[in-house]
Amino acid sequence: MALMVGARVLARNLLRPWSRLPDAVPGRTGPAAGGGDGVRCFGSPRVLVETDPAKGVAVIKLKNPPVNSLSLEVLTEFVISLEKLENDKTFRGVIVTSDCPGIFSAGLDLTEMCGKSQAHYAEYWRAVQELWLRLYLSNLVVIAAINGVSPAGGCLISLTCDYRVLADNPKYSIGLNETLLGIVAPSWFKDTLVNTVGHRTAERALQLGLLFPPAEALRVGIVDQVVPEDQVHSAALSVMARWLAIPDHARQLTKNLMRKPTADRLVKQRDADIQYFLQFISRDSIQKSLRVYLDKLRQKKG
Ligand SMILES: CCCCCCC/C=C/C(=O)SCCNC(=O)CCNC(=O)[C@H](O)C(C)(C)COP(=O)(O)OP(=O)(O)OC[C@H]1O[C@@H](n2cnc3c(N)ncnc32)[C@H](O)[C@@H]1OP(=O)(O)O
């Protein structure tokens, strides 16, 4: 069943012309759309997109309550929204942020990796790869406005961006904490972190599963800027203006120069990476670790 979801969502959207693509959140214009004159909204139930054609900037807001976990549907809808923006020459930059208060993203959806079929794991992992590749190599300027806690896959999304602004709230930690779950961040997660903070900091952070609070996150360079919580969006817009002042072709070629070797490593062995994930995630010990972790999260409330 779940195997069909990603393909169904993709097919339904890709078959439609651009102007009719937004279906779940119909296009709205003007102040009622929440962004002032000229702001248009589209997107899907879990990935909202607000566009400001005059500025050439869009905002992608993840909305998968309660914790913005990256389910197969979120990953698929995210890729579709990004592709739509990439294909429209109006847009040169996108800000990625969250619509869930206090949570940027809880990372990969653990329920997608626990107790499911091999076919499902394969489809899910391909969708994770796809989003990473699209974001990492996007021609758009991509800025993360991190307005909440951002572990593991949430951190990965931020790391794919060109610049990260984090809200200054001690609860909003960020990092690749996979080892704390008894799992291992794949090589391309590791590469993305190494490319951002350097080898030694990445090694320590990965082995210990460190989640950095804002001041520490800034110190190690996992984020570029920490600002008061109510200024995250305006700070991201200011940074965007600076990046958009650079001629697109020069910036895009430079980005490609910096990032393509890392992306190519995954592209060249995508199927092998999926097979490795399948073997890893299907192990009894790994399934048990994930179940224990999920149970702990669920029991926290009780
Ligand atoms: C070779 C390859 C190997 C495999 C590599 C795999 C790489 C994995 C990458 C990942 O991203 S794994 C996910 C890592 N994420 C986390 O560790 C975060 C876990 N969540 C939290 O710490 C907290 O939920 C929170 C984000 C800090 C929010 O806390 P809050 O108190 O606000 O909410 P909770 O009560 O904890 O959660 C509400 C609800 O949501 C469920 N949930 C939380 N996180 C996830 C998740 N990542 N996936 C699925 N579901 C999640 C949680 O269980 C609660 O559910 P219910 O009790 O309401 O049913």
Side-chain angles (χ1 to χ4, degrees), residues 122-292:
E123 187 186 18
Y124 183 65
W125 199 245
R126 189 172 287 282
V128 178
Q129 292 176 335
E130 187 65 25
L131 180 62
W132 179 77
L133 285 168
R134 296 282 184 141
L135 276 171
Y136 200 57
L137 293 179
S138 176
N139 269 333
L140 299 164
V141 174
V142 189
I143 309 249
I146 311 166
N147 50 351
V149 62
S150 186
C155 173
L156 183 74
I157 300 245
S158 309
L159 290 172
T160 61
C161 298
D162 296 299
Y163 192 94
R164 285 157 287 285
V165 181
L166 173 62
D168 194 4
N169 181 322
K171 289 186 186 154
Y172 297 174
S173 56
I174 179 166
L176 295 178
N177 63 328
E178 278 81 352
T179 53
L180 299 184
L181 286 70
I183 56 178
V184 180
S187 58
W188 37 288
F189 284 43
K190 178 267 293 173
D191 289 343
T192 320
L193 185 63
V194 169
N195 291 351
T196 308
V197 299
H199 198 279
R200 175 59 193 145
T201 300
E203 180 179 3
R204 185 170 156 270
L206 283 167
Q207 289 201 42
L208 296 175
L210 295 181
L211 287 167
F212 298 96
E216 275 285 283
L218 185 62
R219 192 183 60 76
V220 299
I222 202 165
V223 300
D224 299 293
Q225 203 179 337
V226 172
V227 299
E229 197 156 357
D230 59 349
Q231 290 170 29
V232 178
H233 187 67
S234 56
L237 278 174
S238 300
V239 171
M240 180 65 80
R242 176 152 186 228
W243 284 64
L244 291 182
I246 307 296
D248 277 341
H249 68 282
R251 185 193 54 73
Q252 287 163 354
L253 285 170
T254 305
K255 179 171 180 175
N256 206 50
L257 196 66
M258 296 298 294
R259 295 185 171 206
K260 196 160 178 299
T262 302
D264 277 351
R265 278 202 285 279
L266 175 63
V267 171
K268 281 195 191 120
Q269 43 126 22
R270 247 182 117 162
D271 290 335
D273 184 66
I274 292 173
Q275 287 312 313
Y276 185 72
F277 174 74
L278 287 184
Q279 279 171 20
F280 182 86
I281 214 70
S282 312
R283 282 189 210 158
D284 288 344
S285 58
I286 299 301
Q287 285 292 306
K288 191 173 167 206
S289 295
L290 291 179
R291 273 198 307 273
V292 168

Side-chain angles (χ1 to χ4, degrees), residues 66-67 69 103 106-111 113 125 149 151-153 177-178 181 183-184 186 189 276-277 280-281 293-294 297-298 300-301:
V67 293
S69 61
I103 295 167
L108 300 192
D109 191 324
L110 295 164
T111 63
M113 300 188 286
W125 199 245
V149 62
N177 63 328
E178 278 81 352
L181 286 70
I183 56 178
V184 180
F189 284 43
Y276 185 72
F277 174 74
F280 182 86
I281 214 70
Y293 190 74
L294 263 172
L297 286 174
R298 287 171 180 150
K300 224 172 47 180
K301 292 179 205 145

Side-chain angles (χ1 to χ4, degrees), residues 31-131:
D37 280 340
V39 172
R40 288 183 54 79
C41 299
F42 69 86
S44 54
R46 299 164 201 86
V47 179
L48 313 177
V49 185
E50 292 173 5
T51 66
D52 188 340
K55 290 201 174 89
V57 173
V59 178
I60 290 185
K61 284 188 184 170
L62 300 179
K63 187 181 186 178
N64 189 25
V67 293
N68 266 344
S69 61
L70 301 170
S71 64
L72 180 58
E73 282 165 326
V74 168
L75 295 170
T76 309
E77 291 171 15
F78 201 152
V79 166
I80 290 167
S81 292
L82 198 62
E83 189 172 24
K84 279 154 59 175
L85 292 170
E86 297 255 11
N87 289 340
D88 186 334
K89 295 287 169 263
T90 316
F91 299 106
R92 300 174 58 217
V94 61
I95 293 171
V96 178
T97 194
S98 161
D99 198 60
C100 291
I103 295 167
F104 181 72
S105 165
L108 300 192
D109 191 324
L110 295 164
T111 63
E112 302 275 17
M113 300 188 286
C114 204
K116 298 281 199 303
S117 68
Q118 295 276 306
H120 181 84
Y121 294 145
E123 187 186 18
Y124 183 65
W125 199 245
R126 189 172 287 282
V128 178
Q129 292 176 335
E130 187 65 25
L131 180 62

